[in-house]
Amino acid sequence: MTNFTKQLFGGSWTEKKLEILKKYLDAYNKALKKQPFKRVYIDAFAGTGYRQQRKRQYKIRGFFDELEQDESRQFLKGSAKLSLEASPSFHRYIFIESDKNKINELEKLRKEHPEKAKQIEIVRSDANESIQNYCNNEDWANTRAVLFLDPFATEVEWVTIEAIAKTRCIDVWILFPVMAVNRLLAKDPQKISYDCLNRILGTRDWFENFYKTRTLDDIFGKPVEIVHKACDFKRIGEFYKERLKTIFSGAAKKPKILYNSRGCPLFHFFFAAGNPKGAPIAIRIAEHLIRDI
Ligand SMILES: C[S@@+](CC[C@H](N)C(=O)[O-])C[C@H]1O[C@@H](n2cnc3c(N)ncnc32)[C@H](O)[C@@H]1O
């Protein structure tokens, strides 16, 4: 694993996210094993297949036994590698990634899994473009899929979520960047990132949900209207979940809330099921994983 393209991210929240995904992939394949469908796994922000984690070690060194801190790197499996280990396995794997160096690393997964080499497709592209294109062109009468949307931040557009839901055949895990969205919802209405929020949330209704108007008297006793932010992380997450419910067959009641090392919610990990027939069982499995991991 020399010359490894750096893929340094995450902490224990990353582990939780990947454990939920891996267990869902196993359960999904098991549940659909006897069905006639071709099962596809799509990783829209695939990375390299691996991830590096900083690991702190303390060594005793020197005459006075001083402590030396050594930051070593640990290689752990990323979502693409984990998907290839799902049991039973998928019929097809689509790994989408925009970074050329990471694409080169993904290519190595074919060598690590020669038995699946022909089932793996590696696509260098923008995830939104590629997913919309795939959703509009797949043979959905004979195909079912699980899609993992694992961006760094606010890359996933609502039009992409709509294209996924429209297939009615895809179950999706979405890493929703609640902390980043909260930042875009600036306290000062003049500093709000309107375009970016419209793109992520797919509506302008967020404004009346997240901002309130108060009437105050100015120094001359004249009433003035003040717009102020009136939402927290929970409300932002609720809004997104309700949006998902309007276009999918169903969504898990609660997301898995993934916290950073300071205890602040970074992401809400949502699950939504596309197929009306499969949704109740899919949601039951997802809710169980969200609750227990
Ligand atoms: C959080 S990492 C994904 C990690 C991966 N799921 C794993 O578990 O190993 C996000 C990845 O998305 C890629 N990326 C960022 N923007 C993208 C875009 N618009 N389209 C496709 N890939 C993108 C980055 O290069 C990065 O590798």
Side-chain angles (χ1 to χ4, degrees):
M1 226 171 279
T2 47
N3 295 326
F4 207 95
T5 304
K6 276 189 191 146
Q7 182 80 353
L8 266 171
F9 60 89
S12 69
W13 61 269
T14 304
E15 254 108 79
K16 278 192 186 144
K17 166 188 84 176
L18 292 176
E19 192 182 344
I20 290 174
L21 176 75
K22 173 67 170 60
K23 292 210 164 124
Y24 185 78
L25 299 184
D26 289 342
Y28 179 86
N29 283 324
K30 212 166 161 187
L32 267 72
K33 199 178 154 196
K34 296 207 172 112
Q35 304 270 342
F37 303 110
K38 181 178 69 179
R39 298 186 302 274
V40 183
Y41 171 74
I42 312 141
D43 203 320
F45 297 85
T48 60
Y50 286 88
R51 61 200 172 87
Q52 292 182 60
Q53 200 180 48
R54 290 189 188 93
K55 197 174 139 195
R56 283 210 177 123
Q57 289 177 330
Y58 293 94
K59 290 194 283 188
I60 294 172
R61 154 180 91 96
F63 197 63
F64 295 104
D65 285 357
E66 62 189 287
L67 274 176
E68 183 190 34
Q69 196 178 303
D70 174 30
E71 277 225 65
S72 61
R73 304 264 158 95
Q74 203 181 16
F75 285 95
L76 300 169
K77 291 169 188 172
S79 53
K81 172 75 179 162
L82 288 171
S83 72
L84 291 164
E85 293 176 359
S87 172
S89 49
F90 286 88
H91 299 105
R92 186 178 170 201
Y93 301 83
I94 305 176
F95 300 145
I96 304 162
E97 171 56 57
S98 58
D99 183 298
K100 184 175 171 287
N101 295 326
K102 289 176 183 168
I103 287 280
N104 293 339
E105 293 298 332
L106 283 170
E107 294 286 351
K108 295 180 186 168
L109 291 176
R110 285 207 180 96
K111 285 204 186 109
E112 289 176 29
H113 294 269
E115 76 293 353
K116 297 195 176 88
K118 287 192 181 143
Q119 292 149 256
I120 302 173
E121 267 166 65
I122 298 168
V123 184
R124 185 177 172 203
S125 168
D126 168 67
N128 287 292
E129 202 182 307
S130 201
I131 291 296
Q132 287 170 42
N133 189 32
Y134 172 72
C135 289
N136 293 332
N137 291 297
E138 179 59 278
D139 161 26
W140 292 113
N142 298 302
T143 308
R144 295 289 180 271
V146 181
L147 169 57
F148 183 37
L149 290 170
D150 187 23
F152 279 137
T154 57
E155 292 90 338
V156 178
E157 298 173 5
W158 187 258
V159 283
T160 302
I161 303 287
E162 278 177 330
I164 298 162
K166 206 171 137 206
T167 67
R168 291 165 75 85
C169 291
I170 300 180
D171 288 355
V172 62
W173 284 96
I174 310 168
L175 197 74
F176 176 71
V178 71
M179 186 182 272
V181 170
N182 182 55
R183 274 203 204 112
L184 295 174
L185 295 161
K187 282 192 180 146
D188 176 352
Q190 291 195 336
K191 294 188 179 154
I192 297 172
S193 305
Y194 289 92
D195 289 347
C196 191
L197 287 158
N198 292 342
R199 191 172 46 78
I200 302 163
L201 301 171
T203 173
R204 289 164 197 261
D205 291 354
W206 54 265
F207 187 82
E208 63 202 45
N209 275 273
F210 299 153
Y211 289 84
K212 295 282 167 252
T213 306
R214 226 177 4 199
T215 308
L216 296 174
D217 286 345
D218 69 9
I219 51 167
F220 307 107
K222 205 174 135 206
V224 277
E225 288 201 329
I226 309 280
V227 176
H228 65 101
K229 185 173 172 180
C231 63
D232 55 13
F233 286 52
K234 193 170 170 223
R235 194 173 167 87
I236 297 168
E238 272 296 312
F239 183 84
Y240 198 73
K241 188 190 76 187
E242 290 308 315
R243 297 275 301 139
L244 291 175
K245 280 168 62 182
T246 62
I247 55 170
F248 281 91
S249 295
K253 274 192 205 84
K254 289 181 187 169
K256 182 81 192 171
I257 301 177
L258 301 170
Y259 298 90
N260 66 12
S261 55
R262 292 196 206 124
C264 300
L266 264 184
F267 292 101
H268 283 184
F269 195 29
F270 286 104
F271 175 80
N275 190 257
K277 215 168 146 202
I281 172 102
I283 290 169
R284 218 175 315 132
I285 295 168
E287 285 179 345
H288 163 79
L289 295 171
I290 288 169
R291 191 185 56 235
D292 292 352
I293 292 176

